[in-house]
């Protein structure tokens, strides 16, 4: 147990953690062994959030290690499994941060990562003892440490082989196999014996199928080159052998549940229908001090981090090992999404979404399987499937359109006509997700749900953005959004319904009846000194162009506002409403003289909208783009805002510099690809020098460019592909479909490539 005198001998105040000085760390360590479970739980939570914040390792974290080991070594200590788990977490994170530098409160540098890693490795043998502890929870927490902290590869592999023989629980046995793979990936000396052992387990027909599947997956995880044509079919066969039969459950519409539910028979009397009131149970009221959209956001985070099937973690590893082998992964997901086990089906939805969102290809089959998961008898799975479909965007989700519409219509009949506002949380969420996905496709069959939201106020914040996707329904939606905007409270920091969201939706609907309400919104936001509300309202007015000219008396005074962001939004609106370059261009030049980077981007975008009448700024603009082209990569965003302005104002005479600057930005920062390709498309045949770069971007199997840390959404990447193909078609280049190699990549481009290198004209 902890020695208090040793604990008090440390100068904790000289150290810090994520939230300040570390004086409170010894209290947390003492409370970790409290006889009160709630005290222990709070102590662990505070240590994780401060002394091990998001995986960080501080000097106080290192100083805590001897005391944590003392707790783990003491059989009488409570929650030893939690202590061992904390040690493993610190050790694994420290190993990844050994080169990191932490600044102490006195400004000195600290090598806490390297110090913690070295200390835990010195105690590596302790994890051998923990991994054979009589307490199953302690063993489960310790097993990963055998792969992380034992530096003798032969010794570690032998211990793991022995543990597999000794363990009887499937969870622990699977963990041993996973740890062997981690060991092989960490220590080169362990690779050959680990792969041989995993291969023998995978091929042994006398071994339990779950162990064989784990060994097969972990071998692929260690050596992806070893994946062959038989790997996935073998995995599917093993998965079928271990898939449990679905358990009978109660009807999810009448009995609230929080986990995936199997399909069950209809029971119209209990379910409720369109002819009478719903009889299903209501959810408990949320805490009065927690806004519903905040509570929903946290519920989403908790839900998305949960796995329901015992094979889920293993299959996620398998998909990662398969990478860009699209055909193999699609075959595996087909098995998962058609599994008789509802938990397996549910967890497969996220994996399918990840595949479609990360890799290019024809995913029609997978989208169809996601659509098959829509069922009025399984609200939990339906919500996840509909959410996944809604995230894919218009093009990719199109094959699911009719299934979404059919589900929404059926649910309104079998449950209640105002299903969006159901008092039962699961059917309500499922219905809402399906309506939102349908609205994302621009389908007016989503309208009844959105009207229910806006009329009743039930989760209306979720309907606002979707409303903007249905301009054909503006006559019904715009008045409701206008009413909500008129009720906006600009004194609240986090309103339930965001005024900027309402403004954006009204702009997308395009109904000029919104202009007076938007002008009033500008006045209200300015009156309450809310630039974050006034600027979006001005942008919304700008979207109406000269149809919003009646609002000029509101816009014009703000074009001289002290706040540069507000002034810039007003100038942008002034141009769109009046189209007077003699007034706007001098204002843009003045903002350019004093603007920071983001305001500079805004100026450049408006200059591009003004076009040739902005010729007086052309020399300065040309100089700015030329200098940024030399200074990249830090100026990539200046380039993708400045080069389009240079093209729109100067035209063909600036084509060479525009293309060079766009390609420079693209190479420096893959996140700029969308803007780059959009400008190249507008340049027509003057974009010829960029053709090889576009060909290379479209040929890759993945949706992420090199140099793009965030990647593009599937919808953004599909738009990039459409625009890029249109540019190449302009030069007579046709896409050739290949048979696909191990990564599933297909073909390239053929055509008179040489001709694009000659003289071109706009």
């Amino acid at each position: 147990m902890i020695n208090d005198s040793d604990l008090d001998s440390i100068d904790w105040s000289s150290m810090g953690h994520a939230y300040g000085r570390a004086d409170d760390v010894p209290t947390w360590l003492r409370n970790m062994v409290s006889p009160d479970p709630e005290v222990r739980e709070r102590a662990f939570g505070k240590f994780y959030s401060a002394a091990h914040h998001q995986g960080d390792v501080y000097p106080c974290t290192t100083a805590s290690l001897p005391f944590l080991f003392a707790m783990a070594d003491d059989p009488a200590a409570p929650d030893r499994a939690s202590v061992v788990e904390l040690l493993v977490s610190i050790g694994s994170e420290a190993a990844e941060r050994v080169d990191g530098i932490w600044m102490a409160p006195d400004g000195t540098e600290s090598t806490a990562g390297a110090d913690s890693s070295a200390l835990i490795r010195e105690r590596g043998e302790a994890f051998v003892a923990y991994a054979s502890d009589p307490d199953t929870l302690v063993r489960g927490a310790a097993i990963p440490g055998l792969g992380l902290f034992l530096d003798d590869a032969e010794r570690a592999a032998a211990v793991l082989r022995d543990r597999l023989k000794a363990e009887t629980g499937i969870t622990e046995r699977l963990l041993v196999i996973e740890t062997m793979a981690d060991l092989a990936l960490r220590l080169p000396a362990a690779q050959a014996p680990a792969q041989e052992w995993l291969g023998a387990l995978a091929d042994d027909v006398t071994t339990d199928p779950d162990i064989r599947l784990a060994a097969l997956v972990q071998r692929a995880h260690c050596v992806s080159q070893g994946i062959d044509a038989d790997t996935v079919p073998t995995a599917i066969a093993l998965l079928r052998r271990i898939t449990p039969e679905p358990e009978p459950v109660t009807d999810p519409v009448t009995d609230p549940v929080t986990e995936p539910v199997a399909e069950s028979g209809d029971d119209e009397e209990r379910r409720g229908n369109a002819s009478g009131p719903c009889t299903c149970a209501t959810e408990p009221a949320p805490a009065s001090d927690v806004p519903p959209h905040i509570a929903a956001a946290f519920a989403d985070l908790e839900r998305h981090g949960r796995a329901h099937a015992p094979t889920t973690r293993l299959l996620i590893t398998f998909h990662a090992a398969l990478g860009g082998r699209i055909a193999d992964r699609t075959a595996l997901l087909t098995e998962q999404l058609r599994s008789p086990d509802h938990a397996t089906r549910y967890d497969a939805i996220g994996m399918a979404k990840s595949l479609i969102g990360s890799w290019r290809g024809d995913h029609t089959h997978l989208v169809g399987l996601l659509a098959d998961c829509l069922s009025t008898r399984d609200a939990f799975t339906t919500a996840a499937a509909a959410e996944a479909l809604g995230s894919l965007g218009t093009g990719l989700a199109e094959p699911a359109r009719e299934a979404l519409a059919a589900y929404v219509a059926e649910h309104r009949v079998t449950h209640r006509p105002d299903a969006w506002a159901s008092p039962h949380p699961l059917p309500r969420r499922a219905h809402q997700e399906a309506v939102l996905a349908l609205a994302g496709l621009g389908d007016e069959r989503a309208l009844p749900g959105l009207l229910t939201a806006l009329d009743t106020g039930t989760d209306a914040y979720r309907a606002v953005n979707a409303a903007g996707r249905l301009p054909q329904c503006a006559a019904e939606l715009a008045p409701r959004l206008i009413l909500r905007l008129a009720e906006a409270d600009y004194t609240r920091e986090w309103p339930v319904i965001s005024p900027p969201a309402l403004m954006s939706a009204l702009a997308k609907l395009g109904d000029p009846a919104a202009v007076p309400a938007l002008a009033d919104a500008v006045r209200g936001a300015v009156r309450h000194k809310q630039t974050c509300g006034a600027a979006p309202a001005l942008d919304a007015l700008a979207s109406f162009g000269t149809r919003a000219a009646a609002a000029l008396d509101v816009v014009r005074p703000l074009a001289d506002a002290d706040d540069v962001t507000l002034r810039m939004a007003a100038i942008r609106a002034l141009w769109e409403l009046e189209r007077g370059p003699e007034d706007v261009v001098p204002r843009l030049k003045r903002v350019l003289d004093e603007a920071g980077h983001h305001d500079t981007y805004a100026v450049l975008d408006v200059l591009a909208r003004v076009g040739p009448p902005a010729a007086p700024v052309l020399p300065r603009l040309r100089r700015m783009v030329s200098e940024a082209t030399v200074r990249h990569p830090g100026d990539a965003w200046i380039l993708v805002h400045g080069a389009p302005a240079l093209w729109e104002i100067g035209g063909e005479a600036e084509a060479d510099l525009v293309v060079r600057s766009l390609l420079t930005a693209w190479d420096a920062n893959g996140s700029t690809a969308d803007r780059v390709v959009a400008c190249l498309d507008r340049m027509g045949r003057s974009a010829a020098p960029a053709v090889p770069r576009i060909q290379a971007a479209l040929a890759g199997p993945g949706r992420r460019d090199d140099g793009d840390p965030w990647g593009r959404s599937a919808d953004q990447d599909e738009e990039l592909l459409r625009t890029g193909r249109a540019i190449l078609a302009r030069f007579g280049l046709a896409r050739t479909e290949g048979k696909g190699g191990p990564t599933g990549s297909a073909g390239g481009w053929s055509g008179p490539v040489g001709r694009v290198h000659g003289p071109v004209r706009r």
Side-chain angles (χ1 to χ4, degrees):
M1 200 66 76
I2 291 180
N3 186 309
D4 282 344
S5 60
D6 289 342
L7 198 59
D8 293 335
S9 68
I10 296 174
D11 185 7
W12 296 98
S13 63
S14 67
M15 295 178 273
H17 52 51
Y19 299 109
R21 287 168 39 162
D23 303 85
D24 36 14
V25 172
T27 300
W28 300 336
L29 292 171
R30 287 188 176 96
N31 287 346
M32 287 179 187
V33 292
S34 167
D36 186 334
E38 292 185 1
V39 171
R40 295 198 302 270
E41 183 178 357
R42 286 196 298 270
F44 277 107
K46 289 180 177 179
F47 191 97
Y48 269 106
S49 66
H52 193 33
H53 178 71
Q54 297 183 351
D56 285 339
V57 179
Y58 303 93
C60 68
T61 319
T62 307
S64 302
L65 291 175
F67 304 101
L68 293 173
F69 273 111
M71 296 181 215
D73 291 340
D74 187 350
D79 286 351
R80 289 177 62 233
S82 296
V83 176
V84 174
E85 185 178 8
L86 177 55
L87 284 168
V88 170
S89 178
I90 294 171
S92 61
E93 294 290 347
E96 295 180 4
R97 302 164 188 254
V98 291
D99 296 326
I101 298 298
W102 182 88
M103 299 303 294
D106 61 1
T108 59
E109 294 183 350
S110 168
T111 57
D115 295 342
S116 292
S117 180
L119 195 155
I120 292 178
R121 274 181 156 71
E122 290 175 4
R123 292 293 307 271
E125 281 296 320
F127 291 89
V128 178
Y130 303 152
S132 58
D133 195 89
D135 187 334
T136 303
L137 295 178
V138 172
R139 295 202 306 275
I143 288 171
L146 301 176
L148 290 168
F149 310 132
L150 292 179
D151 291 330
D152 184 332
E154 184 177 351
R155 163 85 167 132
V159 171
L160 287 168
R161 289 193 296 267
D162 291 342
R163 287 265 33 99
L164 186 67
K165 296 174 184 176
E167 292 292 350
T168 57
I170 185 59
T171 301
E172 292 74 34
R173 300 186 79 200
L174 294 178
L175 192 53
V176 168
I177 294 172
E178 178 183 344
T179 302
M180 182 68 85
D182 291 339
L183 178 69
L185 291 171
R186 184 172 70 89
L187 299 179
Q191 290 177 1
Q195 292 164 20
E196 182 180 354
W197 183 68
L198 292 171
L201 282 175
D203 296 337
D204 186 354
V205 295
T206 66
T207 300
D208 292 341
D210 41 17
I211 297 300
R212 291 185 61 196
L213 178 62
L216 179 73
V217 168
Q218 297 301 346
R219 181 176 59 180
H221 180 50
C222 289
V223 190
S224 59
Q225 299 91 330
I227 300 173
D228 58 28
D230 294 329
T231 302
V232 171
T234 301
I236 290 174
L238 291 169
L239 187 61
R240 287 175 181 169
R241 291 181 58 189
I242 64 176
T243 298
E245 291 296 324
E247 297 179 3
V249 295
T250 53
D251 192 318
V253 177
T254 58
D255 296 292
V257 292
T258 57
E259 298 297 327
V261 291
E263 295 181 357
S264 59
D266 286 334
D267 186 341
E268 289 298 327
E269 182 179 353
R270 292 191 302 123
R271 187 189 305 277
N273 53 49
S275 62
C278 177
T279 60
C280 57
T282 59
E283 67 180 325
S288 59
D289 58 342
V290 180
H293 59 302
I294 301 297
F298 277 99
D300 284 341
L301 285 174
E302 194 278 332
R303 185 166 44 246
H304 292 166
R306 182 190 303 159
H308 301 83
T311 55
T312 294
R313 179 170 172 173
L314 190 61
L315 291 173
I316 290 174
T317 298
F318 198 19
H319 279 288
L322 291 171
R325 294 172 170 83
I326 307 303
D328 282 341
R329 292 183 65 182
T330 299
L332 179 59
L333 281 167
T334 299
E335 180 67 21
Q336 294 174 249
L337 289 166
R338 288 178 174 169
S339 172
D341 175 55
H342 63 280
T344 299
R345 288 198 307 274
Y346 180 89
D347 288 349
I349 291 171
M351 298 181 216
K353 175 183 172 183
S354 176
L355 172 61
I356 298 170
S358 301
W359 298 95
R360 295 168 175 170
D362 184 355
H363 298 299
T364 303
H365 176 67
L366 278 182
V367 173
L369 292 175
L370 290 174
D372 290 343
C373 291
L374 303 172
S375 168
T376 56
R377 294 174 293 174
D378 187 350
F380 200 88
T381 303
T382 293
E387 182 184 20
L389 290 168
S391 73
L392 298 181
T394 305
L396 289 168
E398 178 61 37
R401 179 190 292 270
E402 294 307 315
L404 285 164
Y407 168 79
V408 169
E410 181 184 359
H411 199 226
R412 295 183 71 239
V413 171
T414 61
H415 185 46
R416 51 186 284 162
D418 59 345
W420 177 282
S422 167
H424 190 292
L426 281 180
R428 182 175 71 244
R429 187 168 68 88
H431 189 84
Q432 289 181 4
E433 292 293 355
V435 168
L436 296 176
L438 197 58
L441 292 168
D443 196 306
E444 64 186 53
R445 287 172 287 187
L447 181 62
L450 301 182
L451 295 182
T452 297
L454 295 173
D455 289 341
T456 67
T458 302
D459 298 334
Y461 68 93
R462 304 196 74 205
V464 172
N465 289 329
R469 305 299 295 270
L470 300 176
Q472 69 271 39
C473 303
E476 294 182 86
L477 290 169
R480 290 168 167 85
L481 295 177
I482 290 171
L483 181 61
R484 294 277 175 182
L485 184 59
E487 298 171 346
D489 183 356
Y490 295 100
T491 64
R492 295 185 61 183
E493 185 176 4
W494 300 105
V496 175
I497 299 180
S498 162
L502 289 163
M503 299 162 188
S504 174
L506 286 169
K508 292 174 183 175
L509 289 177
D511 188 341
V515 169
L518 290 168
D520 287 342
V522 174
R523 295 188 186 98
V526 170
R527 186 166 58 252
H528 290 92
K529 299 181 180 180
Q530 292 289 333
T531 301
C532 58
L538 289 165
D539 287 341
L541 283 172
S543 72
F544 287 93
T546 55
R547 294 181 298 166
L552 275 168
D553 62 329
V554 177
V555 173
R556 189 179 301 281
L558 298 177
D560 296 314
D562 292 335
D563 185 288
V564 178
T565 300
L566 180 60
R567 190 195 325 168
M568 193 58 240
I571 294 172
R572 186 163 51 240
L574 193 62
W575 166 253
E576 298 296 344
L577 272 58
E578 195 172 39
R579 297 299 176 97
E582 66 285 349
D583 184 19
V584 167
V585 173
R587 293 178 183 274
L588 291 173
K589 291 175 67 176
R590 286 195 294 273
V591 176
L592 205 58
D593 291 336
E594 61 184 85
H597 263 32
H598 291 290
D599 296 312
T600 297
Y601 303 157
V603 171
L604 295 174
D605 289 344
V606 179
L607 287 171
R609 295 281 294 167
V610 173
V617 303
L618 196 57
R620 179 174 181 177
L621 185 59
R622 188 184 300 118
R623 184 170 61 254
M624 178 188 298
V625 172
S626 298
E627 292 174 353
T629 302
V630 175
R631 286 196 307 263
H632 76 283
D635 292 326
W637 290 105
I638 286 288
L639 293 176
V640 293
H641 289 271
L646 191 59
W647 169 257
E648 298 298 340
I649 298 170
E652 180 66 34
E654 309 294 337
D656 178 64
L657 176 57
V658 169
V659 173
R660 278 193 295 110
S661 61
L662 290 173
L663 294 181
T664 297
W666 195 354
D667 288 339
N669 188 335
S671 301
T672 64
D674 296 349
R675 285 180 169 272
V676 169
V677 173
C679 183
L680 291 172
D681 185 37
R682 295 194 298 271
M683 293 181 70
R685 295 189 63 80
S686 294
V691 164
R693 181 65 176 88
I694 297 172
Q695 288 176 306
L698 270 57
R703 298 195 188 278
R704 175 177 294 181
D705 267 1
D706 291 339
D708 181 359
W710 305 109
R712 290 181 290 274
S713 70
D715 202 30
Q716 289 173 322
D717 187 63
E718 289 296 306
E719 178 61 29
L720 180 72
L721 290 172
R722 284 190 291 271
T723 306
R725 288 166 183 161
I727 294 172
L728 296 178
R730 198 172 293 140
F731 294 102
L733 298 169
R735 192 164 185 255
T736 60
E737 300 295 337
K739 296 181 179 179
T743 64
S745 58
W749 299 86
S750 66
V753 182
R755 60 188 264 200
V756 303
H757 297 300
V760 294
R761 294 290 183 269
R762 190 178 184 184

